[in-house]
Amino acid sequence: MLQYTIRRILIMIPMLLLISVVIFSLAKAMPGDPLSGKIDPLNSDPHYIADMREQLGLNDPLPVQYARWVGGLVQGDLGESFRHKREVSDLIASRIPNTLLLAVMSLVITYIFAFIMGSYSGRKPYTLGDNLIAGFNYLGIAIPSFVAAIVCIYVFSIQLQWFPATGSVGSGVEAGFGYWVSKLKHTLLPALVLGLLSTASYTQYLRNDIIESARKDYVRTARAKGTKESKIYNVHILRNSIIPIVTLLGFDFAGLLGGAIIIETIFTYPGIGYLFIDAVNGRDYSVMMAIAMILTVFTLLGNLLSDLLYGVVDPRIRLD
């Protein structure tokens, strides 16, 4: 396992370099000039603009600019935000706790609902309850996340006023218990949208796997021995069916971080997803490239975690 982990980490290095080249190239290919956000908008003196371009290294060849950017990344220097006039690392550090909270809550919601609905449908297939859950799954798969988010804001925030429609915490709320209550209340609705949309596929997968496992020889043997039906499902079938879903935890977490971009933008939720869209719109290249690289690292680490979990939850798998 240790050798496999080290080998996988070493493979990630060239992948990160390749992705960094793609991100840098795409950023440079975007329309607009990064200098426009850095200079004084009231000063249009050509000499001033030329001096600033030289000072910022924008006249350097692209390979030199790329090497300078990657060198900064390795040393933890993500550059400075042109729009926010502060270090990118500080800016992202102030936003990423919100995104992590949103992703964790979404993940918990996904697994709880998928476990409850999938185990019920698998145990009682082709019943009214199973059909209702299947209908929910079809809606969850078919409805785009931004449509679901807008509908939820209209119903639960505007009409019922159960949840705030924007932000991550109420205005004027001071640190303490009330602060966290307000934060959870602001995060719950976007987390529900993000989590429930991901629930459909897992529910369907768990249902089908339970139905298939119930027909296998070891289950028939357990029934022949007089084992209680509840023990057969809860111990023999459900435990085996959950293993593949648990191993996808890393993929899920990385996917939620990327998928939160749309949800955070619609809910005006101040996470790194909303910051990324703001950076793209404002041509804030340093922020945009830094967030893209961070999401890439999270994705690769999520893939690594998923592969390692295979060996942890199922000892039959040998990764060495």
Side-chain angles (χ1 to χ4, degrees):
M1 181 70 82
L2 179 61
Q3 291 180 356
Y4 175 79
T5 305
I6 294 174
R7 192 164 62 245
R8 282 295 311 272
I9 292 174
L10 292 176
I11 292 175
M12 288 167 56
I13 295 175
M15 293 178 66
L16 281 173
L17 285 174
L18 179 61
I19 295 173
S20 69
V21 171
V22 174
I23 292 173
F24 180 82
S25 302
L26 290 176
K28 290 298 177 183
M30 286 183 63
D33 190 342
L35 186 66
S36 59
K38 188 71 176 177
I39 62 175
D40 181 359
L42 301 177
N43 192 344
S44 59
D45 183 1
H47 296 291
Y48 163 74
I49 294 176
D51 289 342
M52 287 299 295
R53 184 175 289 279
E54 187 67 26
Q55 289 179 21
L56 295 173
L58 296 176
N59 291 332
D60 294 337
L62 288 180
V64 175
Q65 294 185 43
Y66 169 76
R68 186 165 55 237
W69 176 59
V70 172
L73 288 178
V74 173
Q75 299 175 32
D77 180 11
L78 303 181
E80 182 181 352
S81 167
F82 294 165
R83 282 171 63 85
H84 298 273
K85 310 297 183 188
R86 57 187 291 196
E87 294 293 325
V88 174
S89 55
D90 294 340
L91 186 60
I92 292 177
S94 67
R95 300 291 189 93
I96 204 164
N98 289 336
T99 298
L100 290 177
L101 177 63
L102 176 63
V104 170
M105 288 181 65
S106 303
L107 209 58
V108 171
I109 290 169
T110 296
Y111 275 71
I112 288 177
F113 277 90
F115 177 80
I116 294 174
M117 294 193 298
S119 56
Y120 177 86
S121 292
R123 194 167 177 173
K124 298 182 179 180
Y126 314 114
T127 60
L128 177 61
D130 178 39
N131 291 331
L132 290 175
I133 291 173
F136 169 80
N137 290 338
Y138 291 138
L139 284 175
I141 293 173
I143 297 178
S145 59
F146 64 90
V147 174
I150 293 172
V151 171
C152 286
I153 288 175
Y154 176 76
V155 175
F156 297 109
S157 297
I158 298 176
Q159 295 298 324
L160 300 177
Q161 298 186 352
W162 288 355
F163 301 100
T166 60
S168 65
V169 68
S171 60
V173 178
E174 297 181 356
F177 180 74
Y179 173 85
W180 285 105
V181 170
S182 176
K183 201 168 191 62
L184 291 175
K185 195 174 179 181
H186 280 75
T187 309
L188 187 55
L189 189 57
L192 277 171
V193 175
L194 200 59
L196 289 180
L197 290 177
S198 305
T199 302
S201 56
Y202 289 117
T203 301
Q204 203 64 22
Y205 177 85
L206 185 58
R207 172 193 180 274
N208 296 338
D209 197 81
I210 289 175
I211 293 174
E212 184 181 348
S213 297
R215 299 168 181 162
K216 291 185 176 177
D217 291 340
Y218 73 91
V219 173
R220 282 197 288 268
T221 303
R223 285 195 175 112
K225 290 181 177 178
T227 307
K228 289 183 179 179
E229 199 67 15
S230 58
K231 185 177 180 181
I232 291 174
Y233 273 99
N234 296 332
V235 177
H236 296 286
I237 297 177
L238 196 56
R239 186 175 58 184
N240 292 332
S241 298
I242 287 177
I243 287 175
I245 295 180
V246 172
T247 57
L248 295 175
L249 184 65
F251 289 114
D252 292 337
F253 188 71
L256 284 172
L257 289 176
I261 290 176
I262 297 174
I263 297 300
E264 288 183 1
T265 303
I266 294 175
F267 282 91
T268 330
Y269 187 82
I272 59 172
Y274 182 62
L275 179 64
F276 180 77
I277 295 297
D278 180 63
V280 172
N281 291 332
R283 306 290 188 273
D284 200 347
Y285 295 90
S286 52
V287 175
M288 185 175 60
M289 292 191 296
I291 292 177
M293 282 303 299
I294 288 173
L295 292 178
T296 300
V297 171
F298 274 123
T299 301
L300 292 177
L301 290 177
N303 294 345
L304 175 63
L305 177 63
S306 295
D307 288 345
L308 296 180
L309 281 175
Y310 273 113
V312 173
V313 300
D314 191 349
R316 294 172 299 176
I317 299 175
R318 302 299 181 195
L319 298 177
D320 291 336

